[in-house]
Amino acid sequence: MLRLTTFLLIIPLLMASAVRAAAQTTTKELLTGMVTEEVEPGVYRVANDWVRDHLEADMIIVGDDGSVWATQDEGPSGRAAFRLGGEIIETQSEPWTVTSDGTLWDESLHTYDGERWTEHPAPTTDFDADHLYNLGGTVWATWPDPQQPQQWAVARLDGDEWRRLDPLLMPSEPDETPPEAWQVELLTTEQGDLWAWTSRGAGFPEWTGDWGSAVMRRWVDGEWQEIFHKRSDQPWVVGLLALGPDGTMWLRRVESVLDEGGALSEGRVSLKSFDGNEWQEWSLDDPYYLGVLAEEGAGGVDLGGLGVAPDGGLWLGPVECWWEAETEELIQRESPPTPHGLLRFDGGRLDRYAADVCIFDGYLGPDGSIWALSSTDPADDHAFDLYVITPEAVAGAE
């Protein structure tokens, strides 16, 4: 019975992947009819989306079906969204994801099917929307179990019922780590494998001291199987960047030296990948990376991961551009240089795209295209341009 339950839990992921592959709208189809400007080979600025010349927004979402949505502050609820080429609709809360059937979800678990909003039950009365996941078209959630402080519940939404898996047990550590010190993330592959990344880092020095811990698990035969458990007794920062379609994990690791104020002062930055059997690591000696990451201690920027494209390339960023408050001009730093555009790493080379563009939000689409918002006026939070980095741009750079 346990294995049958596991099989039934994973089936929706596989079915959704098949539907998504059959129904995706491609970037080429979306751009047909739009007014665009090619700023680099394969990189376009969208001047008109069929409906509007000026696109006010603060976030971009690309659906599993290939549709592209933008969100903005508007309406009685304070939030609104529009699909490119469509009219603005008022949302119940922050739009969050679009599943393979074109359904728009917001963080309060309301869905929009193109005509009406439908409310779905929350997994718990005080759940955190940051712990909601769209995995192959199935909505999942994780949350700390108030009855078991060292456990996190894991469940998927099946109709109007949340079905739980066995909870995630936090690793045994030498101190009393409160649940809020942990970070949990769920991921899936195109084959429907379910993975769970659990970590805590030096961002919680009052609880963890100067070391961090990270665990990756996979759901196998009705239980969580630990793939690896890494711990360091030195100051470090480790973060999961992405899980590739084939299950390859990408991590960013910073081994650092902290100054007297606790800020990152020097160290080594690397990208690591794990294919389930062996690790590979690439050192990023360019001071750009360390400089950007050092700003995290001051609440600055984060070189995160947008995901792994179908061709296997890892997309990094976006990284905030730095504005001079008085002159409203970009600060031209010598070390580190002002970060622009988006970065792609293929295991052998690192390429930058839209290098002259100040991108503040980006989303990897199912066909491998990047849709990104660029700030055009530091004094106006809603002044932006929409850019598209197509797979043809990557092919031309290789």
Side-chain angles (χ1 to χ4, degrees), residues 286-374:
D286 190 327
Y288 163 82
Y289 294 96
L290 189 58
V292 166
L293 293 167
E295 300 292 347
E296 290 188 67
V301 297
D302 179 18
L303 188 64
L306 294 180
V308 180
D311 64 1
L314 171 68
W315 284 92
L316 301 169
V319 183
E320 292 180 12
C321 292
W322 294 88
W323 298 96
E324 175 61 55
E326 296 181 0
T327 63
E328 293 186 353
E329 295 179 354
L330 280 174
I331 296 175
Q332 298 300 323
R333 294 173 177 242
E334 294 182 1
S335 180
T338 303
H340 289 298
L342 293 176
L343 301 164
R344 179 184 178 275
F345 182 68
D346 67 359
R349 56 182 287 174
L350 188 72
D351 293 311
R352 188 191 301 262
Y353 295 85
D356 295 329
V357 177
C358 176
I359 290 175
F360 68 88
D361 185 48
Y363 209 109
L364 174 64
D367 66 351
S369 293
I370 295 285
W371 293 78
L373 298 179
S374 167

Coordinates of all heavy atoms in Angstrom, one line a residue, residues 286-374:
D286 N 37.1 35.5 -10.6 CA 36.8 36.9 -11.0 C 36.3 37.6 -9.7 O 35.4 37.2 -9.1 CB 35.7 36.9 -12.1 CG 35.6 38.3 -12.6 OD1 35.8 39.3 -11.9 OD2 35.2 38.4 -13.8
P287 N 37.0 38.8 -9.4 CA 36.6 39.5 -8.2 C 35.2 40.0 -8.2 O 34.6 40.4 -7.2 CB 37.6 40.7 -8.1 CG 38.1 40.8 -9.5 CD 38.1 39.4 -10.1
Y288 N 34.6 40.0 -9.4 CA 33.2 40.5 -9.6 C 32.3 39.6 -8.7 O 31.4 40.2 -8.0 CB 32.8 40.3 -11.1 CG 31.3 40.3 -11.3 CD1 30.6 41.5 -11.3 CD2 30.6 39.1 -11.4 CE1 29.2 41.5 -11.5 CE2 29.2 39.1 -11.6 CZ 28.5 40.3 -11.6 OH 27.2 40.3 -11.8
Y289 N 32.5 38.3 -8.7 CA 31.6 37.5 -7.9 C 31.7 37.7 -6.4 O 30.7 37.8 -5.7 CB 31.9 36.0 -8.2 CG 31.6 35.6 -9.7 CD1 32.6 35.7 -10.6 CD2 30.3 35.3 -10.0 CE1 32.3 35.4 -12.0 CE2 30.0 35.0 -11.3 CZ 31.0 35.1 -12.3 OH 30.7 34.8 -13.6
L290 N 32.9 37.7 -5.9 CA 33.1 37.9 -4.5 C 32.6 39.3 -4.1 O 32.1 39.5 -3.0 CB 34.6 37.7 -4.1 CG 34.9 37.7 -2.6 CD1 34.1 36.6 -2.0 CD2 36.3 37.5 -2.3
G291 N 32.9 40.3 -4.9 CA 32.4 41.6 -4.6 C 30.9 41.7 -4.5 O 30.4 42.3 -3.6
V292 N 30.2 41.1 -5.5 CA 28.8 41.1 -5.4 C 28.3 40.4 -4.2 O 27.4 40.8 -3.5 CB 28.2 40.4 -6.7 CG1 26.7 40.1 -6.6 CG2 28.5 41.3 -7.9
L293 N 28.8 39.2 -3.9 CA 28.4 38.4 -2.8 C 28.7 39.1 -1.5 O 28.0 39.0 -0.5 CB 29.0 37.0 -2.8 CG 28.5 36.2 -4.0 CD1 29.3 34.9 -4.1 CD2 27.0 35.7 -3.7
A294 N 29.8 39.9 -1.4 CA 30.2 40.6 -0.2 C 29.1 41.6 0.2 O 28.9 41.9 1.4 CB 31.5 41.2 -0.4
E295 N 28.4 42.1 -0.8 CA 27.4 43.1 -0.5 C 26.2 42.5 0.2 O 25.3 43.2 0.8 CB 26.9 43.8 -1.8 CG 28.0 44.5 -2.6 CD 28.5 45.7 -1.8 OE1 27.9 46.1 -0.8 OE2 29.6 46.3 -2.2
E296 N 26.1 41.2 0.3 CA 24.9 40.6 0.9 C 24.9 40.9 2.4 O 23.8 41.1 3.0 CB 24.9 39.0 0.8 CG 24.6 38.6 -0.7 CD 24.5 37.1 -0.7 OE1 23.5 36.6 -0.2 OE2 25.3 36.4 -1.3
G297 N 26.1 41.1 3.0 CA 26.1 41.4 4.4 C 25.5 42.7 4.7 O 25.1 43.0 5.9
A298 N 25.5 43.6 3.7 CA 24.9 44.9 3.9 C 23.5 45.0 3.3 O 22.9 46.1 3.1 CB 25.8 46.0 3.2
G299 N 22.9 43.8 3.1 CA 21.5 43.8 2.5 C 21.5 44.2 1.0 O 20.6 44.8 0.5
G300 N 22.6 43.9 0.3 CA 22.7 44.3 -1.1 C 22.1 43.3 -2.0 O 20.9 43.2 -2.1
V301 N 22.9 42.5 -2.7 CA 22.5 41.8 -3.9 C 22.7 40.3 -3.6 O 23.4 39.9 -2.7 CB 23.2 42.2 -5.2 CG1 22.9 43.6 -5.5 CG2 24.7 42.0 -5.0
D302 N 22.1 39.5 -4.5 CA 22.2 38.0 -4.4 C 22.4 37.4 -5.7 O 21.5 37.6 -6.6 CB 21.0 37.5 -3.6 CG 21.1 35.9 -3.5 OD1 22.2 35.4 -3.6 OD2 20.1 35.3 -3.2
L303 N 23.5 36.8 -6.0 CA 23.7 36.1 -7.3 C 23.0 34.8 -7.2 O 23.6 33.7 -6.9 CB 25.2 35.9 -7.5 CG 25.6 35.4 -8.9 CD1 25.2 36.4 -10.0 CD2 27.1 35.1 -9.0
G304 N 21.7 34.8 -7.5 CA 20.9 33.6 -7.3 C 20.8 32.8 -8.6 O 21.6 33.0 -9.6
G305 N 19.9 31.9 -8.7 CA 19.8 31.0 -9.9 C 18.4 31.1 -10.5 O 17.4 31.0 -9.8
L306 N 18.3 31.4 -11.8 CA 17.0 31.4 -12.5 C 16.6 30.0 -12.9 O 15.4 29.7 -13.1 CB 17.1 32.3 -13.7 CG 17.3 33.8 -13.4 CD1 17.3 34.5 -14.8 CD2 16.2 34.3 -12.5
G307 N 17.6 29.1 -13.0 CA 17.2 27.7 -13.4 C 18.1 27.2 -14.5 O 19.1 27.8 -14.9
V308 N 17.9 25.9 -14.8 CA 18.7 25.2 -15.9 C 17.8 25.1 -17.1 O 16.7 24.6 -17.1 CB 19.1 23.8 -15.4 CG1 19.9 23.1 -16.5 CG2 19.9 24.0 -14.1
A309 N 18.3 25.6 -18.2 CA 17.5 25.6 -19.5 C 17.5 24.1 -20.1 O 18.3 23.3 -19.6 CB 18.2 26.5 -20.5
P310 N 16.7 23.9 -21.0 CA 16.6 22.5 -21.6 C 18.0 22.1 -22.2 O 18.2 20.9 -22.3 CB 15.6 22.7 -22.7 CG 14.6 23.7 -22.2 CD 15.6 24.7 -21.5
D311 N 18.8 23.0 -22.6 CA 20.1 22.7 -23.2 C 21.2 22.4 -22.1 O 22.3 22.1 -22.4 CB 20.6 23.7 -24.1 CG 20.9 25.1 -23.4 OD1 20.7 25.2 -22.2 OD2 21.3 26.0 -24.1
G312 N 20.8 22.5 -20.8 CA 21.7 22.2 -19.7 C 22.4 23.4 -19.2 O 23.2 23.3 -18.2
G313 N 22.3 24.6 -19.8 CA 22.9 25.8 -19.3 C 22.3 26.3 -18.0 O 21.1 26.4 -17.9
L314 N 23.1 26.8 -17.1 CA 22.7 27.3 -15.8 C 22.6 28.8 -15.9 O 23.6 29.5 -16.2 CB 23.6 26.9 -14.7 CG 23.4 27.6 -13.3 CD1 22.1 27.2 -12.7 CD2 24.6 27.3 -12.4
W315 N 21.5 29.4 -15.6 CA 21.3 30.9 -15.7 C 21.4 31.5 -14.3 O 20.8 31.0 -13.3 CB 19.9 31.3 -16.3 CG 19.9 31.1 -17.8 CD1 19.5 30.0 -18.5 CD2 20.3 32.1 -18.7 NE1 19.6 30.2 -19.8 CE2 20.1 31.5 -20.0 CE3 20.8 33.4 -18.7 CZ2 20.4 32.2 -21.2 CZ3 21.1 34.1 -19.8 CH2 20.9 33.5 -21.1
L316 N 22.3 32.5 -14.1 CA 22.5 33.1 -12.9 C 22.0 34.6 -12.9 O 22.0 35.2 -13.9 CB 24.0 33.2 -12.6 CG 24.8 31.8 -12.6 CD1 26.3 32.0 -12.6 CD2 24.3 31.0 -11.3
G317 N 21.6 35.0 -11.7 CA 21.1 36.4 -11.5 C 19.6 36.4 -11.4 O 19.0 35.4 -11.1
P318 N 19.0 37.6 -11.5 CA 19.6 38.8 -11.8 C 20.3 39.4 -10.6 O 20.1 39.0 -9.4 CB 18.5 39.7 -12.2 CG 17.3 39.2 -11.4 CD 17.5 37.7 -11.3
V319 N 21.2 40.4 -10.8 CA 21.9 41.1 -9.8 C 21.5 42.6 -9.9 O 21.5 43.1 -11.0 CB 23.4 41.0 -10.0 CG1 24.2 41.6 -8.9 CG2 23.8 39.5 -10.1
E320 N 21.2 43.1 -8.7 CA 20.7 44.5 -8.7 C 21.8 45.5 -9.3 O 23.0 45.3 -9.0 CB 20.4 45.0 -7.3 CG 19.2 44.3 -6.7 CD 18.9 44.8 -5.3 OE1 19.5 45.8 -4.9 OE2 18.1 44.2 -4.6
C321 N 21.4 46.4 -10.1 CA 22.2 47.5 -10.5 C 22.3 48.5 -9.3 O 21.4 48.7 -8.5 CB 21.8 48.2 -11.7 SG 21.9 47.2 -13.2
W322 N 23.4 49.2 -9.2 CA 23.6 50.2 -8.2 C 23.3 51.6 -8.7 O 23.9 52.0 -9.7 CB 25.0 50.1 -7.6 CG 25.3 48.8 -6.9 CD1 25.7 47.7 -7.5 CD2 25.1 48.5 -5.6 NE1 25.8 46.7 -6.6 CE2 25.4 47.1 -5.4 CE3 24.6 49.2 -4.5 CZ2 25.3 46.5 -4.2 CZ3 24.5 48.6 -3.2 CH2 24.9 47.2 -3.1
W323 N 22.4 52.3 -8.0 CA 22.1 53.7 -8.4 C 22.6 54.7 -7.4 O 22.6 54.5 -6.2 CB 20.6 53.8 -8.4 CG 19.9 53.0 -9.4 CD1 19.3 51.7 -9.2 CD2 19.7 53.2 -10.8 NE1 18.8 51.2 -10.3 CE2 19.0 52.1 -11.3 CE3 20.1 54.2 -11.7 CZ2 18.7 52.0 -12.7 CZ3 19.8 54.1 -13.0 CH2 19.1 53.0 -13.5
E324 N 23.1 55.8 -8.0 CA 23.6 56.9 -7.1 C 22.4 57.8 -6.8 O 21.7 58.3 -7.7 CB 24.6 57.7 -7.9 CG 25.1 59.0 -7.1 CD 25.7 58.6 -5.8 OE1 26.7 57.8 -5.7 OE2 25.2 59.2 -4.8
A325 N 22.0 57.8 -5.5 CA 20.7 58.5 -5.1 C 20.7 60.0 -5.6 O 19.6 60.4 -6.0 CB 20.5 58.4 -3.6
E326 N 21.8 60.7 -5.5 CA 21.7 62.1 -5.8 C 21.7 62.4 -7.3 O 21.0 63.2 -7.8 CB 23.0 62.8 -5.2 CG 22.9 62.7 -3.6 CD 24.1 63.5 -3.0 OE1 25.0 64.0 -3.8 OE2 24.3 63.5 -1.8
T327 N 22.5 61.7 -8.0 CA 22.6 62.0 -9.5 C 21.7 61.1 -10.3 O 21.4 61.4 -11.5 CB 24.0 61.8 -10.0 OG1 24.4 60.4 -9.8 CG2 25.0 62.6 -9.2
E328 N 21.1 60.0 -9.7 CA 20.3 59.0 -10.4 C 21.0 58.5 -11.6 O 20.4 58.3 -12.6 CB 18.9 59.7 -10.7 CG 18.1 60.0 -9.5 CD 16.7 60.5 -9.9 OE1 16.5 60.7 -11.1 OE2 15.9 60.7 -9.0
E329 N 22.3 58.3 -11.4 CA 23.1 57.6 -12.5 C 23.7 56.4 -11.9 O 23.9 56.2 -10.7 CB 24.2 58.6 -13.0 CG 23.6 59.8 -13.7 CD 24.8 60.7 -14.1 OE1 25.9 60.4 -13.7 OE2 24.5 61.8 -14.7
L330 N 23.9 55.4 -12.8 CA 24.6 54.2 -12.4 C 26.0 54.5 -11.8 O 26.7 55.2 -12.4 CB 24.7 53.2 -13.6 CG 23.4 52.5 -14.0 CD1 23.7 51.7 -15.2 CD2 23.0 51.5 -12.9
I331 N 26.2 53.9 -10.7 CA 27.6 54.0 -10.1 C 28.5 53.1 -10.9 O 28.3 51.9 -11.2 CB 27.6 53.5 -8.7 CG1 26.7 54.4 -7.8 CG2 29.0 53.4 -8.1 CD1 26.6 53.9 -6.4
Q332 N 29.6 53.7 -11.4 CA 30.6 52.9 -12.1 C 31.7 52.5 -11.1 O 32.6 53.3 -10.8 CB 31.2 53.7 -13.3 CG 30.1 54.1 -14.3 CD 29.5 52.9 -14.9 OE1 30.2 51.9 -15.2 NE2 28.2 53.0 -15.2
R333 N 31.6 51.3 -10.6 CA 32.6 50.8 -9.6 C 33.7 50.2 -10.3 O 33.6 49.5 -11.3 CB 31.9 49.8 -8.7 CG 30.8 50.4 -7.8 CD 30.1 49.2 -7.1 NE 29.1 49.8 -6.2 CZ 29.2 49.6 -4.8 NH1 30.2 49.0 -4.3 NH2 28.2 50.1 -4.1
E334 N 34.9 50.4 -9.7 CA 36.1 49.7 -10.3 C 36.2 48.3 -9.7 O 36.6 47.4 -10.4 CB 37.4 50.5 -9.9 CG 37.4 51.9 -10.6 CD 38.7 52.6 -10.3 OE1 39.5 52.0 -9.6 OE2 38.9 53.7 -10.8
S335 N 35.8 48.1 -8.5 CA 35.8 46.8 -7.9 C 34.7 46.7 -6.8 O 34.8 47.3 -5.8 CB 37.2 46.5 -7.2 OG 37.2 45.2 -6.6
P336 N 33.7 45.9 -7.1 CA 33.4 45.2 -8.3 C 32.8 46.1 -9.3 O 32.3 47.2 -9.0 CB 32.4 44.2 -7.9 CG 31.6 44.9 -6.8 CD 32.6 45.7 -6.1
P337 N 32.8 45.8 -10.6 CA 32.2 46.6 -11.6 C 30.6 46.5 -11.5 O 30.1 45.6 -10.9 CB 32.6 45.9 -13.0 CG 32.9 44.5 -12.6 CD 33.5 44.6 -11.2
T338 N 30.0 47.6 -11.9 CA 28.5 47.6 -11.8 C 28.0 46.4 -12.6 O 28.2 46.2 -13.8 CB 27.9 48.8 -12.5 OG1 28.5 50.0 -11.8 CG2 26.4 48.9 -12.3
P339 N 27.2 45.5 -11.9 CA 26.7 44.3 -12.6 C 25.5 44.6 -13.5 O 24.7 45.4 -13.2 CB 26.2 43.4 -11.4 CG 25.9 44.4 -10.3 CD 26.9 45.5 -10.5
H340 N 25.5 44.0 -14.7 CA 24.5 44.2 -15.6 C 24.1 42.9 -16.3 O 24.9 42.0 -16.3 CB 24.9 45.2 -16.8 CG 25.1 46.6 -16.3 ND1 24.0 47.3 -15.9 CD2 26.1 47.4 -16.3 CE1 24.4 48.6 -15.6 NE2 25.7 48.6 -15.8
G341 N 22.9 42.9 -16.9 CA 22.5 41.7 -17.6 C 22.4 40.4 -16.8 O 22.2 40.5 -15.6
L342 N 22.4 39.3 -17.5 CA 22.3 38.0 -16.9 C 23.5 37.1 -17.4 O 24.0 37.3 -18.4 CB 21.0 37.3 -17.3 CG 19.7 38.0 -16.8 CD1 18.5 37.3 -17.3 CD2 19.7 38.0 -15.3
L343 N 23.8 36.2 -16.5 CA 24.9 35.3 -16.8 C 24.5 33.9 -17.0 O 23.5 33.4 -16.4 CB 25.9 35.3 -15.6 CG 26.4 36.7 -15.2 CD1 27.0 36.7 -13.8 CD2 27.5 37.1 -16.2
R344 N 25.2 33.2 -17.9 CA 24.9 31.8 -18.2 C 26.2 31.0 -18.1 O 27.2 31.3 -18.7 CB 24.3 31.6 -19.6 CG 23.9 30.2 -20.0 CD 23.4 30.1 -21.4 NE 23.1 28.7 -21.8 CZ 24.0 27.9 -22.3 NH1 25.3 28.3 -22.5 NH2 23.7 26.7 -22.7
F345 N 26.1 29.8 -17.4 CA 27.3 29.0 -17.2 C 26.9 27.6 -17.8 O 25.9 27.0 -17.4 CB 27.7 28.9 -15.8 CG 28.9 28.0 -15.5 CD1 30.1 28.5 -15.9 CD2 28.8 26.8 -14.9 CE1 31.3 27.7 -15.7 CE2 29.9 26.1 -14.6 CZ 31.2 26.5 -15.0
D346 N 27.8 27.0 -18.6 CA 27.5 25.7 -19.2 C 28.5 24.7 -18.8 O 28.6 23.6 -19.4 CB 27.5 25.8 -20.8 CG 28.9 26.2 -21.3 OD1 29.9 26.3 -20.6 OD2 29.0 26.3 -22.6
G347 N 29.3 24.9 -17.7 CA 30.2 24.0 -17.3 C 31.6 24.2 -17.8 O 32.6 23.6 -17.3
G348 N 31.7 25.0 -18.8 CA 33.0 25.3 -19.4 C 33.3 26.8 -19.6 O 34.4 27.3 -19.5
R349 N 32.2 27.6 -19.8 CA 32.4 29.0 -20.1 C 31.2 29.7 -19.4 O 30.2 29.2 -19.2 CB 32.5 29.3 -21.6 CG 31.3 28.8 -22.3 CD 31.5 29.0 -23.8 NE 31.3 30.5 -24.1 CZ 31.4 31.0 -25.4 NH1 31.9 30.2 -26.3 NH2 31.2 32.2 -25.6
L350 N 31.5 31.0 -19.1 CA 30.6 31.9 -18.5 C 30.3 33.0 -19.5 O 31.2 33.7 -19.9 CB 31.1 32.4 -17.2 CG 30.1 33.3 -16.4 CD1 29.1 32.3 -15.7 CD2 30.9 34.0 -15.3
D351 N 29.0 33.2 -19.9 CA 28.7 34.3 -20.9 C 27.7 35.2 -20.2 O 26.9 34.8 -19.4 CB 28.0 33.6 -22.1 CG 29.0 32.8 -22.9 OD1 30.1 33.3 -23.2 OD2 28.7 31.7 -23.3
R352 N 27.8 36.5 -20.6 CA 26.9 37.5 -20.2 C 26.0 38.0 -21.3 O 26.5 38.2 -22.4 CB 27.7 38.7 -19.6 CG 26.8 39.8 -18.9 CD 27.6 41.0 -18.6 NE 28.8 40.7 -17.7 CZ 28.8 40.9 -16.4 NH1 27.7 41.4 -15.8 NH2 29.9 40.6 -15.7
Y353 N 24.7 38.2 -21.0 CA 23.8 38.6 -22.1 C 23.1 39.9 -21.6 O 22.9 40.1 -20.4 CB 22.7 37.5 -22.3 CG 23.3 36.3 -22.9 CD1 23.9 35.3 -22.1 CD2 23.4 36.1 -24.3 CE1 24.4 34.1 -22.6 CE2 24.0 34.9 -24.8 CZ 24.5 34.0 -24.0 OH 25.1 32.8 -24.5
A354 N 22.7 40.7 -22.6 CA 22.1 42.0 -22.3 C 23.0 42.8 -21.3 O 22.5 43.3 -20.3 CB 20.7 41.9 -21.8
A355 N 24.3 42.9 -21.6 CA 25.3 43.4 -20.7 C 25.0 44.9 -20.3 O 25.4 45.3 -19.3 CB 26.7 43.2 -21.2
D356 N 24.4 45.6 -21.2 CA 24.2 47.0 -21.0 C 22.8 47.3 -20.3 O 22.4 48.5 -20.3 CB 24.3 47.8 -22.3 CG 25.7 47.8 -22.9 OD1 26.6 47.7 -22.1 OD2 25.8 47.8 -24.1
V357 N 22.2 46.3 -19.8 CA 20.8 46.4 -19.3 C 20.8 46.2 -17.8 O 21.4 45.2 -17.3 CB 19.9 45.4 -20.0 CG1 18.5 45.5 -19.4 CG2 19.8 45.7 -21.5
C358 N 20.1 47.0 -17.1 CA 20.0 46.9 -15.6 C 18.7 46.0 -15.3 O 17.6 46.5 -15.2 CB 19.8 48.3 -15.0 SG 19.5 48.2 -13.2
I359 N 18.9 44.7 -15.3 CA 17.8 43.8 -15.1 C 17.6 43.6 -13.6 O 18.5 43.3 -12.8 CB 18.1 42.4 -15.8 CG1 18.1 42.6 -17.3 CG2 17.2 41.3 -15.3 CD1 18.5 41.4 -18.1
F360 N 16.3 43.7 -13.2 CA 16.0 43.4 -11.8 C 15.1 42.2 -11.5 O 14.9 41.8 -10.4 CB 15.4 44.7 -11.1 CG 14.0 45.0 -11.7 CD1 12.9 44.5 -11.1 CD2 13.8 45.9 -12.7 CE1 11.6 44.8 -11.5 CE2 12.6 46.2 -13.2 CZ 11.4 45.7 -12.6
D361 N 14.6 41.7 -12.6 CA 13.7 40.5 -12.4 C 13.8 39.6 -13.7 O 13.7 40.2 -14.8 CB 12.3 40.8 -12.1 CG 11.4 39.6 -11.7 OD1 11.9 38.8 -10.9 OD2 10.3 39.5 -12.3
G362 N 13.9 38.3 -13.5 CA 14.0 37.5 -14.7 C 13.3 36.2 -14.5 O 13.2 35.7 -13.3
Y363 N 12.9 35.5 -15.5 CA 12.2 34.2 -15.4 C 12.6 33.3 -16.6 O 12.5 33.8 -17.7 CB 10.7 34.4 -15.4 CG 9.9 33.4 -14.6 CD1 9.3 33.7 -13.4 CD2 9.7 32.1 -15.1 CE1 8.6 32.8 -12.6 CE2 9.0 31.2 -14.4 CZ 8.4 31.5 -13.1 OH 7.7 30.6 -12.4
L364 N 12.9 32.1 -16.3 CA 13.3 31.1 -17.3 C 12.1 30.4 -17.8 O 11.3 29.8 -17.0 CB 14.3 30.1 -16.8 CG 14.7 28.9 -17.7 CD1 15.4 29.4 -18.9 CD2 15.6 27.9 -16.9
G365 N 11.8 30.5 -19.1 CA 10.6 29.9 -19.7 C 10.9 28.4 -20.0 O 12.0 28.0 -20.1
P366 N 9.8 27.7 -20.3 CA 10.0 26.2 -20.6 C 10.7 25.9 -21.8 O 11.2 24.8 -22.0 CB 8.5 25.7 -20.6 CG 7.7 26.9 -20.9 CD 8.4 28.1 -20.3
D367 N 10.8 26.9 -22.8 CA 11.5 26.6 -24.0 C 13.0 27.1 -23.9 O 13.7 27.0 -24.9 CB 10.8 27.3 -25.2 CG 10.8 28.8 -25.2 OD1 11.2 29.3 -24.1 OD2 10.5 29.4 -26.2
G368 N 13.4 27.6 -22.7 CA 14.8 28.0 -22.6 C 15.0 29.5 -22.7 O 16.1 30.0 -22.6
S369 N 13.9 30.3 -23.1 CA 14.1 31.7 -23.2 C 14.0 32.4 -21.8 O 13.4 31.9 -20.9 CB 12.9 32.3 -24.0 OG 13.0 31.9 -25.4
I370 N 14.7 33.5 -21.7 CA 14.6 34.3 -20.5 C 13.8 35.5 -20.7 O 14.1 36.3 -21.7 CB 16.1 34.7 -20.0 CG1 16.9 33.5 -19.6 CG2 16.0 35.7 -18.9 CD1 16.5 32.9 -18.3
W371 N 12.8 35.8 -19.9 CA 12.0 37.0 -20.0 C 12.4 37.8 -18.8 O 12.4 37.4 -17.6 CB 10.5 36.7 -19.9 CG 10.0 36.0 -21.2 CD1 10.2 34.7 -21.5 CD2 9.3 36.6 -22.3 NE1 9.6 34.4 -22.7 CE2 9.1 35.6 -23.2 CE3 8.9 37.9 -22.6 CZ2 8.4 35.8 -24.4 CZ3 8.2 38.1 -23.8 CH2 8.0 37.1 -24.7
A372 N 12.8 39.1 -19.0 CA 13.4 39.9 -17.9 C 12.9 41.3 -17.9 O 12.6 41.9 -19.0 CB 14.9 39.9 -18.0
L373 N 12.8 41.9 -16.8 CA 12.4 43.3 -16.6 C 13.7 44.2 -16.3 O 14.5 43.7 -15.5 CB 11.4 43.5 -15.5 CG 10.1 42.8 -15.6 CD1 9.2 43.1 -14.4 CD2 9.4 43.2 -16.9
S374 N 13.8 45.3 -17.0 CA 14.9 46.2 -16.8 C 14.5 47.5 -16.3 O 13.5 48.1 -16.8 CB 15.7 46.4 -18.1 OG 16.6 47.4 -18.0

